[in-house]
Structure formats: structure tokens, C-alpha cells
């Protein structure tokens, strides 16, 4: 996941890639993964849970057409 999230390394210039850079990227991804695991991730689960609960609350506050009482018929 972290490898996909990071930008592709530049292939030119002084720090332009090579076997050392690829090795460092692997170590960096592992270190970031360990740090994220220790801290409890990115917090996406809490954000998603809040969004889902908010959507459920707003949809339950709005009556469906099935919940609206039919007008009384008088003769």
C-alpha cells in the first residue's frame, strides 16, 4: 500500500535512483508500516465509521414515502 501511495522516484540527478534507492524505498516502506501499526493506522476506519453513521442518521431523520400517513378520507 505504501509503495503505491508514494510518488515514483526520479531517475535523473544526484539522487536519481539505482539499486541503493530501491533498497532504501523498501526499508522506508517497512519502517512507515511499522510506525503506522504502532500508532493505530491512518485513522481511516474512524473517519469511515463517522461518515456511515452520519449518513444513517440523516436518512433515518427523513421520512420515507412509506412512512407518511395517508390523508384521512371523509364522506
Amino acid at each position: 500500500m505504501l509503495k503505491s501511495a508514494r510518488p515514483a522516484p526520479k531517475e535523473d540527478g544526484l539522487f536519481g535512483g539505482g539499486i541503493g534507492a530501491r533498497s532504501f524505498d523498501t526499508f522506508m516502506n517497512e519502517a512507515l508500516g511499522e510506525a503506522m501499526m504502532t500508532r493505530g493506522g491512518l485513522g481511516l476506519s474512524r473517519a469511515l465509521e463517522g461518515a456511515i453513521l452520519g449518513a444513517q442518521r440523516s436518512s433515518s431523520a427523513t421520512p420515507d414515502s412509506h412512512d407518511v400517513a395517508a390523508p384521512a378520507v371523509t364522506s
Side-chain angles (χ1 to χ4, degrees):
M1 179 181 86
L2 294 173
K3 181 180 178 182
S4 298
R6 293 180 26 173
K10 295 182 180 180
E11 297 296 326
D12 58 349
L14 182 60
F15 302 104
I19 188 118
R22 287 191 296 270
S23 297
F24 176 77
D25 285 346
T26 301
F27 292 132
M28 180 60 122
N29 290 335
E30 288 179 22
L32 287 172
E34 290 289 328
M36 289 171 53
M37 186 177 66
T38 301
R39 296 192 67 196
L42 296 173
L44 291 176
S45 60
R46 279 181 268 165
L48 289 172
E49 181 181 14
I52 291 170
L53 290 175
Q56 288 176 342
R57 286 187 197 115
S58 67
S59 69
S60 66
T62 308
D64 292 334
S65 60
H66 304 305
D67 295 338
V68 177
V73 177
T74 58
S75 38

